[in-house]
Amino acid sequence: MSPVTATALALIRFDLRRYLVGGLLWMPASVLPLGGGLVLQ
Amino acid sequence: MFDHLAADRVPLLLCAAFAGIELVRGLTIVVAWTYGDYWWSAAAALLRGNVLRSVLIGGGRAPRSSGEALARLRDDVSTVVEFVDESVPLAGAALFGVAALAIMSSVDPVVTLVLVLPTVAVGLIGRLMNRRIGRLHRRAAVLGAAVTGHLGEIFTGVQTIKTAGAEEAALERLRRHNRLRREAAVRDRLATDLLGTATGASIEVGIGLLLLLAAPAMRRGDFTVGDLALFTAYAGWLTALPRTIGSILARMPQAAVSARRLTELMGPGEDLSRDGGVRLHRDHPAALPPARHDPLRVLRARGLTTARGLHGVDLEIERGSFTVVTGAVGAGKTTLVRALLGLEPLTAGTICWNGAPVTDPGAFMVPGRVAYAGQVPRLFSASLRENLLLGRSAEGLERAVRLAAFDRDLARMPGGLDAVVGSRGVRLSGGQAQRATAARALVRSPDLLVVDDLSSALDVETERLLWERISGVTTLLVVSHRPAVLERADRVVVLDRGRVAGCGPLAELLETCPEMRRLWSLGPLDEPGSSAVP
Amino acid sequence: MVTSSTASTSGRASARRLLRPLLPGPGPAALLALAVTAATALPLAAPQLTRRFVDDAAAGAGAGRLTLIALGYLGLAVAGQAARLVTAWLAGKVAWEGTDRLRERLAEHVLGLDAAFHGGHTPGELIERVDGDVAAVAGFVVAFLLDVVVGVLLLCGVVVTVFTVDPDLGAVLLAFCMLTGLGTVRAQRLAVPSATRAQAARAALLGHLEERLAGAEDLRANGAGEHALRRFHQLSAALWRAERRSDAVGSGILAGTGAAFAAGTALMLALSGTLSTGTAVLLLQYTLMVRTPFERLIDQLRRYQTAVAGLARIGGLLAERPALRVPAAPRPLPAAGPLGLELDAVGFAYDGEPVLRDVTLRLAPGETLGLVGRTGGGKTTVARLVARLYDPAAGAVRVGGVDLREADPASVRARVCMVTQDVHLFTASVRDNLTLFRSHPGDDRLRAALAEAGLPGWDLDAPLGAVSAGQAQLLAFARALLADPGLVILDEPSSRLDPAAERGLQRAMTRLLTGRTGVVIAHRLASLSHVDKIAVVSDGEIAEYGARRDLLADSGSRFSRMLAEARR
């Protein structure tokens, strides 16, 4: 594993809960445009 | 909506739903962004904290230019954290991409494939360009650090530059650094943009192909105008996937460079991303006072050797003794005490505290065992009290100030201990700053006090007062060439070009050691009283 | 630290002056305008082809015609992307050139400020101003050209096009865009204070880091690393709180604009019942097209906020005036020969705390003066006044018969030279450290000066490695020898030298002072064996002043007593 990958993984792991919750909170923002497109159709 | 439009009526409900979806999306963005700030800030603090810990406590050493080190802690940390942060949009774009592809395939799989193919091709091109982008970015980062470094040089050496009237020359140098960095940065940016443009173009090409392919199907009525609206709307959003993949691919080499530049500041075997318990919402625990330890009986150093300066120096310091290291300029006096304190790496030699070998002097020779007042006093922009205590309890502060012969100056200072010392302590005279650093070392009540040429900016009277007060309080290791100090010493170590030329009481050395005799006979000029043997 | 209110007023007042260095020359500006026009016009034309395509397809046009339209679309789209790339490249170039000019101007300004200013600002803070803030502004300028200018042009193009398609819809779109734009601008103004606070927290963190990195060895050897780390974590947490607040405002604005846009699109479609399907597709494409630059524009909000906050702080810095006034009609000091020195009833105070009172000293050209006395008595202040790092609060300092306040600053720097015990060494070659980056009279002169100062045989091209304090002092002496001044001030020059090196330096010092006026501060009375006059400074006043010979002859003089004390 390259040093930068190790660093990246460690940064994700040190506060995994907040990273995951923060990431999940972003998901609706990405998925909602799907609905927009369907409504457009 | 568009299928309804073809049928000549668009229900208001659908219009409202379209706007409502966007509103919900906006709200989640506000929440996610604000929440995400914590992780971002904590991750940056983790990296910065680990580098700082290594430089201040662990095995790392700060480079000579603090401006350059600052640039690394500022920009390289951001680059690494942003790289990891990019994983979130990547996941989002991937999620959208999979769902959108599923929906589009259910409408028309062939057209979907054609829409996606150019994007995949561009992703592959991006992978190929990666190394070149990394190289360009490295160059831009190095040149950028050179600009910051030069600015740091200008601002730390501002008095030197101004009194010499060298402002224009320093600015000319800045212009040259600026130009080099600018050229590199524009090239770096162009390469990144090229990748972005290729991504955008791939989508446009996809839509063009979509039109070409959809024409017959639309004529047949298999492909409705509503489908076309769906496809074009998704095509725009789909660009996010290759864009984030491209961005991650472009950032990967940049982040690798940055991580390496940060690791360079640290000691061997130290982990840049170790979780040291960074929690921004809780106050960081206060530093513990140093644990009680094995009180100094005897400190022995054998064969101390450094890359430049020292060659096999032996030293022995007994509890309560007063040892003075002396020698000509470049003899290695400062190097010796720095090596003993672990500030200068040893290539050979051992240090033993009460007979037990010290493996890492940089971590061992600290309060409560040892404290140090360096040659160049270094104070911080804070109150004098903060500068002296640096986190310790105020117990013994008054005593330390008196021992360092700093009490009289302090009494006359407006605000006393609360007086704020300006940038790097410029408002204190050289002698005051030196005695402040001595008080800072003394308040730590060390077993061994190491002083590097403390008296250099002191007048004779103040210096005498200081040695009178300080002698016998603790074990002393002092670099000096002052006759008054040499006379006071129990043992004098004479260095000559990195080797011990003699060791013992002054009177004995003056008989046995030619180098001591030479130094002594040169004596302080024009002070007849002190050039004679006592 | 500049308070936010004064920063914003002065920031606004000088915003135009501030931005002037950022503006490109006429040539690059014309090229950029051309690229921007192409980057706007090409994407605008593309939806017209889609509309034709849909309507023609519905009308049952031949496959050849449809293929032609699709190919035309392809060409336009690729050309549009290329235009955007060229715009980005040109904008990046122009922005870098502009910000470099601004950075240089700011560095020049800061260098022009005097010791009083530099005493109150850490180098780290100044680096953040001149480097970090300027970079934020640079990022904004690129974003402005790419996203704001192109976005607004695109928006105008879309509004005009929709007007030609359907005037009513055009009017609705125009009103809608104006409302959204107005709302965004208003909200942004609200966002600036929180962004300013976030930037201040950032500068505080970086200032702390810079000082602690510079003082790393002192912290380590005094076991204060944990303490510095704790403070770092506190400052990081403060930065997080400030950024969270600023980001909440920023993302709120982004979300609001996005929702407003969707509402506008829905409204347009609800109103567009009477249009052909092709026209409706055209409208959809246009609104999607406007949405992207609009979103990018708001995405730049962070940058915009930091840039505005940065500009305000840059403005605050530029509004700092040196306390040392530049004279209206500067008089040059005599260009050659030793310079006389006269301090006439000089008084001085740091921040209201009097340091010097009624100091009167007179030196004929070529005479040397030794200043002695306890540390903190005011000797160094006298030196700083003579070197014009400060101006006296009362009385006058005259060099070569010219009041320093009326003298040409350049000639003061050229003719008056100060060597202090704090020698700043640059991370650069030996040559640069000697010349301080200036043009020089040739390597032979440099080597001669080094040798004269007691550092023979140094390689001028080698980077200046680790040198002892004593060697640094000798290097400063070599600098002084090169400068060839008419008045030399030596503030404890030999304090860090051992006797052997000091004897060497004494020879160089004698040579430097020969044929020059000199002021020598020393606590080691030995270094004063060659001065003509002695002044004993005590508690900010001249306690004793006279010829060295006379003071030595009088065993009751302070100077004689000090010498006796030193010999004891």
Side-chain angles (χ1 to χ4, degrees):
Chain A
M1 194 160 55
S2 73
V4 66
T5 324
T7 306
L9 286 178
L11 283 185
I12 289 172
R13 239 189 343 248
F14 90 97
D15 198 346
L16 188 63
R17 187 175 60 85
R18 278 169 198 274
Y19 176 80
L20 283 182
V21 173
L24 283 177
L25 277 174
W26 274 107
M27 290 308 119
S30 310
V31 176
L32 280 172
L34 276 178
L38 283 175
V39 171
L40 269 183
Q41 185 188 21
Chain B
M1 246 189 249
F2 273 86
D3 283 344
H4 284 289
L5 191 65
D8 265 352
R9 60 195 156 77
V10 181
L12 280 175
L13 195 65
L14 276 181
C15 292
F18 185 72
I21 286 175
E22 194 53 45
L23 189 66
V24 173
R25 180 169 183 265
L27 286 177
T28 56
I29 286 179
V30 174
V31 175
W33 197 328
T34 318
Y35 186 87
D37 268 346
Y38 181 92
W39 179 84
W40 210 104
S41 305
L46 176 97
L47 295 182
R48 290 188 181 126
N50 280 341
V51 174
L52 198 61
R53 171 176 297 276
S54 169
V55 169
L56 298 184
I57 301 165
R61 295 293 177 271
R64 279 186 60 211
S65 153
S66 57
E68 214 234 282
L70 182 69
R72 292 190 190 192
L73 283 186
R74 183 186 61 193
D75 304 335
D76 288 324
V77 163
S78 296
T79 307
V80 172
V81 176
E82 270 166 22
F83 165 66
V84 181
D85 195 39
E86 196 75 1
S87 62
V88 173
L90 177 69
L95 204 62
F96 177 88
V98 169
L101 287 180
I103 295 171
M104 284 157 63
S105 304
S106 72
V107 176
D108 192 328
V110 180
V111 174
T112 308
L113 191 67
V114 167
L115 195 60
V116 171
L117 271 183
T119 314
V120 175
V122 167
L124 288 176
I125 294 172
R127 187 96 190 91
L128 294 177
M129 279 175 68
N130 236 0
R131 185 168 300 172
R132 190 170 160 68
I133 290 180
R135 208 165 49 233
L136 285 173
H137 189 72
R138 240 179 339 264
R139 189 173 149 70
V142 167
L143 292 171
V147 172
T148 313
H150 184 66
L151 281 173
E153 293 280 351
I154 291 182
F155 294 142
T156 41
V158 68
Q159 183 167 336
T160 305
I161 290 175
K162 281 178 70 82
T163 49
E167 291 98 328
E168 188 42 49
L171 287 171
E172 190 50 47
R173 179 67 56 99
L174 174 66
R175 282 181 207 116
R176 207 169 74 215
H177 280 303
N178 261 346
R179 198 184 61 241
L180 286 174
R181 189 251 289 258
R182 182 166 69 230
E183 283 160 8
V186 168
R187 221 166 288 153
D188 181 30
R189 167 94 199 230
L190 182 66
T192 318
D193 282 349
L194 209 58
L195 208 56
T197 303
T199 312
S202 75
I203 287 298
E204 302 277 14
V205 169
I207 293 180
L209 291 175
L210 164 75
L211 292 178
L212 275 177
L213 284 175
M218 278 185 91
R219 281 236 301 280
R220 284 197 309 274
D222 299 349
F223 197 81
T224 63
V225 184
D227 293 339
L228 185 65
L230 177 86
F231 271 60
T232 37
Y234 280 6
W237 286 106
L238 267 179
T239 48
L241 187 58
R243 204 168 53 222
T244 30
I245 293 179
S247 153
I248 283 221
L249 289 180
R251 278 165 200 260
M252 178 101 138
Q254 299 176 355
V257 172
S258 291
R260 201 176 59 230
R261 282 159 54 84
L262 287 170
T263 314
E264 275 168 11
L265 294 178
M266 305 179 71
E270 286 177 329
D271 182 6
L272 174 64
S273 49
R274 191 182 66 91
D275 180 6
V278 180
R279 300 296 176 262
L280 295 179
H281 53 281
R282 286 201 299 269
D283 198 10
H284 199 71
L288 295 171
R292 276 325 300 166
H293 59 88
D294 189 13
L296 175 69
R297 292 193 306 276
V298 61
L299 180 74
R300 269 196 202 93
R302 289 277 172 269
L304 295 185
T305 303
T306 61
R308 356 186 321 184
L310 289 189
H311 309 285
V313 172
D314 296 345
L315 190 69
E316 183 163 327
I317 299 167
E318 277 165 25
R319 181 177 189 84
S321 64
F322 188 148
T323 310
V324 175
V325 179
T326 195
V329 165
K333 305 182 295 281
T334 297
T335 313
L336 173 59
V337 293
R338 282 169 51 83
L340 209 58
L341 291 163
L343 299 175
E344 193 90 37
L346 284 174
T347 51
T350 56
I351 300 169
C352 290
W353 181 274
N354 296 343
V358 175
T359 46
D360 181 5
F364 186 89
M365 304 289 276
V366 294
R369 301 181 187 92
V370 185
Y372 169 60
Q375 200 172 23
V376 181
R378 190 70 88 172
L379 296 172
F380 305 109
S381 307
S383 72
L384 205 47
R385 183 192 312 280
E386 158 70 13
N387 266 297
L388 295 188
L389 292 176
L390 291 175
R392 286 183 72 99
S393 74
E395 188 191 340
L397 180 57
E398 245 168 74
R399 176 173 167 271
V401 166
R402 203 183 53 79
L403 284 177
F406 192 47
D407 45 349
R408 227 188 93 178
D409 301 73
L410 192 63
R412 284 195 319 194
M413 223 169 269
L417 282 170
D418 293 317
V420 172
V421 179
S423 160
R424 303 212 162 154
V426 288
R427 298 286 168 88
L428 297 188
S429 76
Q432 287 172 330
Q434 273 190 326
R435 277 170 296 144
T437 52
R440 179 163 75 191
L442 280 162
V443 79
R444 304 183 136 65
S445 32
D447 276 6
L448 171 64
L449 176 63
V450 181
V451 176
D452 191 355
D453 219 358
L454 172 78
S455 52
S456 61
L458 299 186
D459 55 284
V460 178
E461 191 191 328
T462 312
E463 189 190 346
R464 177 162 300 155
L465 190 66
L466 182 129
W467 291 120
E468 246 161 42
R469 290 182 177 175
I470 226 173
S471 302
V473 167
T474 179
T475 317
L476 284 169
L477 174 62
V478 174
V479 173
S480 182
H481 39 72
R482 295 293 190 83
V485 182
L486 292 171
E487 282 165 10
R488 210 175 260 281
D490 301 323
R491 185 201 297 255
V492 176
V493 178
V494 186
L495 290 183
D496 182 20
R497 279 158 287 173
R499 291 172 211 280
V500 177
C503 177
L506 178 66
E508 192 184 305
L509 284 175
L510 284 172
E511 285 176 13
T512 58
C513 175
E515 173 68 5
M516 185 72 246
R517 256 203 310 278
R518 191 182 74 85
L519 290 169
W520 190 258
S521 67
L522 290 168
L525 299 128
D526 202 33
E527 281 184 32
S530 54
S531 62
V533 180
Chain C
M1 193 74 220
V2 183
T3 62
S4 60
S5 69
T6 56
S8 67
T9 347
S10 57
R12 210 165 301 145
S14 55
R16 204 167 310 145
R17 196 162 43 84
L18 274 177
L19 289 169
R20 198 175 308 139
L22 291 175
L23 296 179
L31 266 180
L32 191 60
L34 202 68
V36 165
T37 314
T40 317
L42 291 171
L44 264 179
Q48 298 284 358
L49 290 182
T50 351
R51 169 204 193 182
R52 182 87 51 83
F53 180 87
V54 172
D55 282 348
D56 285 6
R65 189 179 159 71
L66 289 181
T67 312
L68 206 65
I69 295 177
L71 284 177
Y73 176 88
L74 267 177
L76 270 183
V78 172
Q81 288 288 344
R84 195 171 169 83
L85 178 69
V86 172
T87 313
W89 176 63
L90 283 174
K93 230 167 113 77
V94 163
W96 270 104
E97 279 163 8
T99 38
D100 278 351
R101 275 196 298 272
L102 181 60
R103 183 177 288 121
E104 286 152 13
R105 159 130 175 59
L106 210 54
E108 189 180 353
H109 177 78
V110 170
L111 268 181
L113 294 172
D114 39 52
F117 171 86
H118 288 285
H121 293 77
T122 64
E125 189 188 332
L126 293 176
I127 292 173
E128 181 56 12
R129 274 308 83 84
V130 176
D131 208 30
D133 282 344
V134 169
V137 174
F140 174 66
V141 170
V142 178
F144 182 82
L145 286 170
L146 282 182
D147 294 330
V148 181
V149 173
V150 174
V152 166
L153 281 179
L154 201 62
L155 207 64
C156 292
V158 168
V159 170
V160 169
T161 319
V162 174
F163 252 110
T164 58
V165 173
D166 185 323
D168 290 346
L169 277 181
V172 172
L173 184 66
L174 183 64
F176 167 76
C177 283
M178 281 170 74
L179 274 176
T180 315
L182 214 67
T184 313
V185 169
R186 266 224 115 86
Q188 269 176 357
R189 210 161 283 163
L190 283 177
V192 169
S194 61
T196 312
R197 272 193 294 276
Q199 268 303 307
R202 193 176 157 76
L205 175 70
L206 291 171
H208 175 85
L209 279 175
E210 197 273 342
E211 280 199 344
R212 296 323 181 268
L213 286 168
E217 293 195 345
D218 285 44
L219 289 169
R220 170 188 293 270
N222 284 303
E226 285 293 346
H227 176 64
L229 267 167
R230 176 163 193 254
R231 187 83 195 105
F232 159 76
H233 280 294
Q234 286 167 346
L235 288 169
S236 291
L239 175 60
W240 161 59
R241 292 201 177 87
E243 277 191 336
R244 186 178 52 174
R245 213 160 304 139
S246 153
D247 282 346
V249 178
S251 61
I253 295 170
L254 177 67
T257 318
F261 241 89
T265 313
L267 186 69
M268 293 259 296
L269 289 174
L271 292 175
S272 62
T274 54
L275 301 174
S276 80
T277 318
T279 313
V281 172
L282 170 105
L283 283 177
L284 176 69
Q285 279 204 326
Y286 273 142
T287 36
L288 287 179
M289 187 188 282
V290 181
R291 188 202 161 105
T292 317
F294 229 100
E295 278 215 335
R296 274 201 197 147
L297 200 151
I298 297 154
D299 207 26
Q300 298 300 340
L301 206 68
R302 265 170 91 110
R303 275 190 183 173
Y304 170 77
Q305 289 169 348
T306 18
V308 169
L311 263 181
R313 272 192 314 276
I314 292 171
L317 190 55
L318 280 179
E320 293 269 0
R321 287 279 150 254
L324 304 182
R325 299 257 165 252
V326 178
R331 295 168 54 196
L333 300 186
L339 301 168
L341 170 68
E342 205 178 326
L343 273 80
D344 193 358
V346 165
F348 187 74
Y350 284 112
D351 293 337
E353 169 79 358
V355 195
L356 289 182
R357 273 177 306 273
D358 199 24
V359 171
T360 299
L361 297 167
R362 239 166 271 276
L363 281 186
E367 271 189 327
T368 48
L369 167 75
L371 283 176
V372 297
R374 278 185 59 103
T375 48
K379 296 178 307 227
T380 295
T381 309
V382 171
R384 288 180 177 168
L385 289 172
V386 174
R388 210 194 173 209
L389 293 180
Y390 297 99
D391 276 339
V397 179
R398 280 185 280 275
V399 173
V402 182
D403 189 327
L404 283 183
R405 281 170 294 200
E406 291 159 17
D408 173 20
S411 81
V412 173
R413 297 294 164 239
R415 299 290 290 142
V416 179
C417 174
M418 177 154 97
V419 177
T420 68
Q421 54 169 330
D422 285 314
V423 183
H424 183 80
L425 300 176
F426 296 89
T427 316
S429 66
V430 172
R431 181 186 290 103
D432 287 341
N433 266 291
L434 267 179
T435 60
L436 301 173
F437 314 111
R438 289 169 293 186
S439 57
H440 58 87
D443 286 356
D444 289 342
R445 277 282 289 125
L446 300 187
R447 285 196 198 95
L450 277 175
E452 219 174 337
L455 298 168
W458 277 27
D459 181 3
L460 291 173
D461 292 307
L464 188 67
V467 297
S468 71
Q471 288 169 319
Q473 203 68 65
L474 293 175
L475 191 86
F477 234 82
R479 280 177 189 162
L481 284 163
L482 273 173
D484 193 21
L487 169 62
V488 185
I489 306 151
L490 305 174
D491 186 356
E492 314 261 18
S494 60
S495 63
R496 294 210 174 107
L497 301 192
D498 61 73
E502 185 175 354
R503 173 155 289 193
L505 190 73
Q506 194 77 28
R507 276 192 292 273
M509 204 154 113
T510 315
R511 222 165 296 160
L512 180 63
L513 289 175
T514 307
R516 296 192 176 94
T517 315
V519 176
V520 184
I521 297 179
H523 54 261
R524 232 179 297 175
L525 306 178
S527 3
L528 297 177
S529 53
H530 298 102
V531 300
D532 302 315
K533 289 180 171 176
I534 291 284
V536 180
V537 186
S538 173
D539 289 335
E541 291 178 20
I542 302 291
E544 190 171 273
Y545 178 46
R548 182 173 186 273
R549 219 175 327 113
D550 298 347
L551 295 181
L552 271 182
D554 176 4
S555 61
S557 71
R558 272 174 175 256
F559 183 60
S560 293
R561 288 207 306 273
M562 286 167 79
L563 259 184
E565 163 91 353
R567 282 171 191 164
R568 211 174 60 201

